[in-house]
Amino acid sequence: MSDLRPGEIRLEGVSRKYRLLLERNQTLKEAILRRRRSIHREVWALRDVDLHIEPGHAVGVIGANGAGKSTMLKLLAGILPPNAGQVRTGGKVVSLLELGSGFHPDFTGRENVILNASIHGMSRQSVRARMDDIIAFSELEGFIDAPVRTYSSGMYMRLGFSVAAELDPDILLLDEVLAVGDEAFQSKCLSRIADFQRRGVTIVFVSHSQWAIQTVCDRAIWLSGGNVVSDGDPVKVLDDYHKGLATSMGADSGAAVVEEDHGWRSARIVSVTVSGDDGPTSRLLSGERCIVEVVYEVNEDVSPVTALTVRTVDGALIAGTDNRVAVDQRASERGFHRARFVLAQLPLMEGRFAIDVKLEADAGGFSFHEVERAVEFTVFSTGRGFGPVAILGDWDVAGIDRPDAGEALRA
Amino acid sequence: MSFIAPHNRQLFANLVRREVRGRYKGSWLGIIWTLITPLVMMGAYTLVFTVVWQVVSITHYPLFILTGLAFWTFLTGSMTVAATSLVGNADLVKKVAFPRQIVPLAAMVSQGITAAVMVAILIPLNLWLMDGSRLVMLLLPLVIVASCALVAGLALALSVLNVFFRDTEHIVNALLLPWFFLTPILYSFDSFPLATSHEWLLDLLKYANFATPFVLAIQDTLFWGRMPETSVLIYIVVVGAAVFAGGYALFRKMQRDLAVEL
């Protein structure tokens, strides 16, 4: 490792495979008694990747889910060894693959800071010296001596990032860590990342957020199927990426191309896209602006109604909407059309959701084309509450004299 | 513990603290709680074997049981806690790079604290009440080091095995009770009815069960105040070293793919 400068990264012919278990876990009993091996299939997460990153660069890694992004970070962090090739990193590597990993729910915020800092290799003395800064950065002064199980997920992330902000790495690995937290805190995190950058720390950053990559990175890498497809200037790589998406949209990009079937249809759904503030995505924030776009083709003189049904990933109905009443906005000419449904604030809580899309006739419940689970997406939430739907409201509790008959709760 | 680099000692200490604190969250009795189980066992067995069913004639029988239990709870407590330690800390293992042996070893040390407290109570009591030579207590450090090596080797091996074969912990748990009765904790081989007529059986019980020589060694040095048999001393040193080396080698071999398997 000595020939690498601090902050330098070199990957040479790196491959990493996974075993995809097709059955349940192997048991010791079976392994010993029947000498039976697990049934599995091998999947290459990264294939023969060469990469050289100069110290002080900030590199964004983009790609669809399963493209090998997280695997690359885990290899760089030393969490996983490569199956072939060589991963070399210079200097001290700090990986933030998950904020607050290793927090103990029953420990107070302060105790978890000490624990988490030691996980990342910070000495006791320097944690002590930096404790006030860490707490100040997290803005959790009032809660720092409460057990973290009482924290909201946003507070949890904030504390996790605050520890990270005080670390002193040569290489910093970030995996989608800015996906949660409120906007103000997110920009605070980004400015801290910019500080790291100014200090010459090499940053490797996995994100689905185009904005974050363009703000932070001076180089981007597009991974697809375990290979580096495009590498270079972030604007160019993001452009390549989006062009690539448009030709082969996977369900996980938040966009789906509906396969053409053989039958002839009066109207046909072409593609369905979910977008957040940063364009097409499969990850949305609760309360974020959200747009569902359906592109369809009309082949006859019909004026199809576009209907959307939102379900939880296990199929429970949440809500539905269609543009039946908006007659004047519905296209009736032949050719391609785009129907957009804009939600100012996404009223869903954390979870995975799917949208069924239907092109219906104006009357009679006949549908020209319907696609179940046309797109799936994940919602992240920082708020409190539970269930799939975010109900927005304010609580108010006040003392009253005495409940009269109307207010008394009947048992 | 040379295989834990200095800058990771802090993490090690913090994980032990987390393990201990996590188990008795918010309880002011804290570490005292860990002593209650062995003390209750000691009381129950004393009642059964010396009062109800008068079969044991060992003076200071409660201390005898407690001496054996100090080793036994350390051994089996560490084995069960270590077996689930990596699986239980999956989020940490999958997301942060650090020497993974820290996790099962921290689990073991958290159990070792209980045993250390028991031994700390037993030493003055036995010094006061013991009939034999107090000088053999000087051998205690050797017995403790050998025991720690044995337990560490088992903890390391079981922790990785349980990641790849999730039924390991259940198999271990099922074996504990019969194993306990085959180990001379409640009884002594001295009063064994078959000892004179079937010496081979005695030898089998003594050496086939690797826990037995360790229990005999700690009972001899801490309770009886007599020199352990040379064969027992050699056994615990060799087996302790071998199990540690084997467990550590297995751990190193299997830990490569931990982050994928968890």
Side-chain angles (χ1 to χ4, degrees):
Chain A
M1 308 264 161
S2 53
D3 55 326
L4 256 68
R5 289 160 287 158
E8 194 177 350
I9 297 173
R10 245 177 218 287
L11 268 65
E12 281 154 19
V14 170
S15 297
R16 173 74 219 187
K17 66 183 171 197
Y18 281 96
R19 289 193 317 165
L20 207 68
L21 285 179
L22 300 178
E23 272 193 0
R24 67 200 154 83
N25 276 330
Q26 202 181 2
T27 65
L28 190 57
K29 199 181 78 194
E30 281 174 347
I32 292 172
L33 294 183
R34 294 191 224 152
R35 307 199 159 268
R36 187 177 151 282
R37 299 289 302 169
S38 61
I39 300 169
H40 61 263
R41 202 173 48 170
E42 284 181 349
V43 177
W44 290 93
L46 279 183
R47 236 179 171 154
D48 202 21
V49 171
D50 292 303
L51 188 65
H52 181 219
I53 297 172
E54 288 286 332
H57 278 270
V59 180
V61 183
I62 53 174
N65 286 1
K69 305 186 299 284
S70 296
T71 304
M72 180 179 272
L73 284 196
K74 284 182 177 171
L75 287 168
L76 290 174
I79 295 170
L80 276 181
N83 292 112
Q86 233 191 347
V87 176
R88 294 189 301 157
T89 51
K92 186 169 157 23
V93 182
V94 166
S95 56
L96 299 178
L97 305 194
E98 192 175 273
L99 290 178
S101 48
F103 276 7
H104 192 292
D106 289 317
F107 281 21
T108 66
R110 192 186 299 273
E111 288 165 332
N112 269 309
V113 166
I114 296 170
L115 178 63
N116 205 246
S118 70
I119 287 170
H120 291 292
M122 201 193 278
S123 74
R124 197 180 188 79
Q125 293 88 321
S126 50
V127 187
R128 283 228 184 88
R130 295 174 192 201
M131 183 59 92
D132 290 339
D133 292 339
I134 293 173
I135 296 171
F137 189 85
S138 71
E139 302 167 17
L140 291 169
E141 286 89 348
F143 307 92
I144 200 68
D145 290 312
V148 297
R149 70 180 134 80
T150 63
Y151 285 22
S152 69
S153 59
M155 289 159 75
Y156 202 87
M157 298 296 147
R158 258 152 62 182
L159 193 63
F161 191 87
S162 307
V163 177
E166 291 297 325
L167 297 172
D168 201 13
D170 294 304
I171 297 173
L172 183 63
L173 309 172
L174 302 165
D175 189 1
E176 206 65 74
V177 289
L178 300 176
V180 268
D182 57 75
E183 225 167 281
F185 195 76
Q186 276 187 23
S187 60
K188 207 166 153 183
C189 293
L190 275 180
S191 78
R192 185 53 67 109
I193 291 172
D195 281 348
F196 276 123
Q197 224 177 332
R198 271 193 290 282
R199 297 208 312 253
V201 175
T202 308
I203 296 168
V204 181
F205 181 43
V206 165
S207 181
H208 283 103
S209 162
Q210 185 174 341
W211 169 72
I213 289 202
Q214 280 180 343
T215 315
V216 174
C217 302
D218 47 32
R219 178 178 167 189
I221 291 166
W222 171 22
L223 282 181
S224 178
N227 293 304
V228 177
V229 181
S230 176
D231 181 354
D233 178 61
V235 178
K236 177 192 150 278
V237 174
L238 281 166
D239 197 41
D240 289 347
Y241 176 56
H242 287 134
K243 275 184 201 146
L245 275 189
T247 51
S248 67
M249 284 188 219
D252 270 304
S253 63
V257 175
V258 176
E259 275 179 37
E260 204 155 349
D261 43 18
H262 299 297
W264 191 85
R265 293 178 187 279
S266 315
R268 188 177 72 84
I269 300 166
V270 177
S271 73
V272 183
T273 313
V274 175
S275 308
D277 287 332
D278 303 321
T281 176
S282 63
R283 291 154 172 254
L284 292 163
L285 269 176
S286 184
E288 187 184 16
R289 203 166 93 103
C290 166
I291 301 163
V292 182
E293 228 174 65
V294 180
V295 174
Y296 60 94
E297 189 183 3
V298 177
N299 299 321
E300 263 181 62
D301 289 331
V302 290
S303 173
V305 172
T306 312
L308 303 175
T309 308
V310 182
R311 298 180 185 277
T312 60
V313 74
D314 33 56
L317 173 67
I318 293 175
T321 181
D322 60 43
N323 57 0
R324 196 178 301 274
V325 286
V327 184
D328 50 330
Q329 286 171 29
R330 269 161 38 202
S332 51
E333 308 98 67
R334 296 182 188 204
F336 289 98
H337 301 281
R338 186 195 64 194
R340 272 158 62 105
F341 179 67
V342 180
L343 262 169
Q345 285 187 312
L346 181 68
L348 295 176
M349 297 288 288
E350 199 150 279
R352 187 137 177 100
F353 299 90
I355 298 180
D356 299 344
V357 183
K358 243 192 227 182
L359 292 177
E360 293 178 329
D362 217 351
F366 173 76
S367 66
F368 301 115
H369 192 185
E370 61 180 282
V371 182
E372 282 181 15
R373 289 172 189 268
V375 273
E376 287 191 14
F377 57 96
T378 304
V379 176
F380 295 94
S381 161
T382 52
R384 286 168 183 271
F386 44 87
V389 178
I391 45 173
L392 305 170
D394 295 308
W395 276 94
D396 171 58
V397 178
I400 53 169
D401 292 338
R402 192 191 164 82
D404 55 36
E407 281 172 282
L409 198 66
R410 275 166 276 263
Chain B
M1 289 191 193
S2 57
F3 49 94
I4 296 177
H7 66 275
N8 283 317
R9 299 229 169 107
Q10 201 62 55
L11 172 59
F12 187 77
N14 280 330
L15 281 181
V16 172
R17 206 167 297 144
R18 173 176 131 147
E19 193 74 39
V20 173
R21 275 276 317 274
R23 221 174 320 141
Y24 313 101
K25 48 185 169 186
S27 138
W28 60 271
L29 278 170
I31 202 84
I32 306 287
W33 271 115
T34 62
L35 292 175
I36 286 185
T37 318
L39 287 176
V40 167
M41 279 172 82
M42 178 192 85
Y45 287 125
T46 307
L47 188 73
V48 169
F49 291 122
T50 65
V51 180
V52 180
W53 184 32
Q54 298 174 351
V55 284
V56 190
S57 56
I58 297 169
T59 43
H60 311 306
Y61 183 59
L63 287 184
F64 173 77
I65 298 182
L66 211 53
T67 309
L69 280 181
F71 173 78
W72 183 256
T73 51
F74 177 44
L75 173 72
T76 58
S78 301
M79 283 173 67
T80 46
V81 176
T84 54
S85 63
L86 284 173
V87 176
N89 283 296
D91 58 331
L92 205 54
V93 175
K94 282 197 302 196
K95 302 290 181 185
V96 188
F98 64 96
R100 276 52 192 296
Q101 58 267 32
I102 288 181
V103 174
L105 291 177
M108 164 193 154
V109 169
S110 76
Q111 294 294 316
I113 292 171
T114 313
V117 173
M118 287 170 78
V119 171
I121 293 170
L122 284 167
I123 289 176
L125 278 176
N126 287 338
L127 278 176
W128 175 38
L129 296 166
M130 184 154 83
D131 297 324
S133 155
R134 282 155 183 82
L135 271 180
V136 287
M137 265 199 204
L138 292 175
L139 272 176
L140 197 57
L142 173 77
V143 179
I144 289 174
V145 168
S147 305
C148 288
L150 172 85
V151 175
L154 288 169
L156 287 166
L158 289 173
S159 66
V160 277
L161 276 176
N162 196 43
V163 173
F164 292 85
F165 307 103
R166 297 292 168 104
D167 59 340
T168 307
E169 51 175 304
H170 305 300
I171 293 175
V172 169
N173 281 327
L175 291 177
L176 287 186
L177 193 62
W179 191 16
F180 176 70
F181 287 108
L182 286 172
T183 309
I185 292 165
L186 301 176
Y187 52 88
S188 159
F189 284 143
D190 299 346
S191 56
F192 221 52
L194 295 173
T196 42
S197 55
H198 295 76
E199 254 183 70
W200 62 271
L201 183 65
L202 193 62
D203 282 339
L204 185 73
L205 281 174
K206 222 181 204 174
Y207 296 110
N209 170 5
F210 64 82
T212 300
F214 289 88
V215 170
L216 293 177
I218 194 164
Q219 285 169 343
D220 281 343
T221 47
L222 196 54
F223 179 79
W224 297 113
R226 65 188 181 199
M227 193 64 192
E229 287 170 44
T230 318
S231 57
V232 165
L233 281 181
I234 293 171
Y235 187 101
I236 64 168
V237 170
V238 171
V239 170
V243 169
F244 178 76
Y248 189 46
L250 183 76
F251 189 88
R252 286 192 46 161
K253 186 166 170 282
M254 292 180 84
Q255 66 127 16
R256 283 175 52 89
D257 285 337
L258 268 186
V260 205
E261 290 291 334
L262 274 171

